[in-house]
Amino acid sequence: MAIRDIITYPDPLLLKPSETVTEFGDSIQELIEDMAETMFEAPGSGLAAVQVGVNKRIIVVNTTEDMDDAEKSWYALINPEIIEKDGVFVSDNEGCLSVPELRATVRRSSRVVVKALDRMGEPMTIEVDNFHAVILQHEIDHLNGILFIDHLSVLKRNLYKKKVKKHLKDS
Ligand code: NI
């Protein structure tokens, strides 16, 4: 396993929809293991393949906030798709490893049902709620080229973009 570099906004790859996975060989298994290790190292609650520069529909999710326990309680979803969602969950301190130095409030669904393949390519469906549902919505957004800042008001989003531009110019 290896820790991979996480790409950050405004890298254009983050805005591109990821491609469907059709094979589940060694290179995909290695990528999934690397993604998990990268997520723990960061640390983060979830990671999409595009964030390590691989344009494939794969996410890894860490379901515990207890980092000592994290390596036992993660899973991967391949080609995940939200097939049902309802309720409202105000995600009040949302952040993203690819959008450094920003935390914001995002309105999410409080329950989602997700259809996906597991890492061996077997079909599965999971139903989750609250914080866990936020992680899945956030990571599946990444696969569609959507960042959490896209859910913010235009004003807040532009403030952030300006800050990044200035930072890039200064560095
Ligand atoms: Ni993210």
Side-chain angles (χ1 to χ4, degrees):
M1 293 213 290
I3 291 165
R4 302 206 184 189
D5 289 336
I6 295 176
I7 63 172
T8 55
Y9 178 86
D11 191 313
L13 191 60
L14 289 168
L15 310 180
K16 225 177 126 183
S18 294
E19 287 164 9
T20 302
V21 175
T22 53
E23 61 91 25
F24 297 84
D26 289 349
S27 68
I28 287 290
Q29 302 305 325
E30 195 184 318
L31 170 64
I32 291 170
E33 294 291 329
D34 286 356
M35 284 171 63
E37 197 176 339
T38 306
M39 170 175 67
F40 296 134
E41 164 74 17
S45 307
L47 191 73
V50 66
Q51 292 181 273
V52 294
V54 181
N55 200 30
K56 290 188 187 302
R57 301 187 81 82
I58 303 171
I59 64 173
V60 290
V61 177
N62 167 20
T63 56
T64 176
E65 284 171 56
D66 174 6
M67 290 313 287
D68 289 337
D69 201 35
E71 300 190 21
K72 283 175 278 174
S73 52
W74 68 277
Y75 62 89
L77 294 179
I78 319 295
N79 306 334
E81 206 182 311
I82 295 173
I83 54 172
E84 239 183 271
K85 58 179 177 181
D86 52 46
V88 173
F89 185 93
V90 178
S91 170
D92 64 3
N93 193 27
E94 196 163 321
C96 177
L97 297 173
S98 294
V99 186
E101 289 168 52
L102 183 72
R103 292 261 159 191
T105 299
V106 183
R107 230 176 119 88
R108 300 282 190 184
S109 298
S110 61
R111 185 190 75 103
V112 294
V113 180
V114 173
K115 191 180 87 173
L117 302 176
D118 70 14
R119 59 186 291 180
M120 296 304 164
E122 294 299 321
M124 59 178 284
T125 303
I126 61 166
E127 178 179 343
V128 296
D129 58 14
N130 302 325
F131 184 62
H132 196 163
V134 170
I135 302 173
L136 291 193
Q137 290 167 83
H138 179 117
E139 300 311 328
I140 292 170
D141 269 354
H142 273 300
L143 304 184
N144 295 320
I146 297 167
L147 297 172
F148 85 107
I149 50 176
D150 295 319
H151 292 287
L152 305 183
S153 69
V154 175
L155 182 70
K156 275 192 192 145
R157 192 162 63 227
N158 286 343
L159 273 175
Y160 182 74
K161 288 182 177 172
K162 236 182 245 169
K163 202 174 113 183
V164 173
K165 252 186 218 155
K166 184 172 182 306
H167 179 78
L168 288 175
K169 218 168 40 189
D170 293 348
S171 61

